[in-house]
Amino acid sequence: MRFSQPVRMADGGETSPVWARSRKRSGMPIVGLLVTLLALFGALTAVLGIKEQSLAAGGAVIDGWITSGWDGARGLIGKAPAAADDAAAEAGAAAAKAGDALQAGAETTANEMKK
């Protein structure tokens, strides 16, 4: 396949096509992420505004979603210390059982070695 002169010389080489060059990434990927999230939020607001026939009603739907998510997160945070205490107690019980089993195995092995 033959390429035209600008295509061959774009990368400084004789046989390198334009699409084979490596792209350099921008130094601020967070800006692209923020712009994408804002665009998605704007599209969601527009769709809900059309569905509810009012931007205020669409915004109220989004506020309801945020409020329910926030309340759920606050509920989970309140349960975290109790769950951590339960997990610690279960881990302690499992460690005690493992220690007892190890002790019994060591005693059995010692008895077998004596014979």
Side-chain angles (χ1 to χ4, degrees), residues 52-103:
E52 299 293 327
Q53 298 179 351
S54 166
L55 284 177
V61 170
I62 293 173
D63 286 343
W65 293 345
I66 292 171
T67 301
S68 65
W70 181 255
D71 291 342
R74 288 176 59 196
L76 290 175
I77 290 171
K79 294 178 183 176
D85 290 342
D86 291 343
E90 289 177 12
K97 286 182 183 178
D100 293 343
L102 186 60
Q103 180 76 23

Side-chain angles (χ1 to χ4, degrees), residues 2 21 28-29 31 33-34 43 45 52 58 66 68-69 72 76 84 105:
R2 303 193 109 187
R21 291 183 290 164
M28 296 290 233
V31 172
L33 177 67
L34 288 175
T45 303
E52 299 293 327
I66 292 171
S68 65
L76 290 175

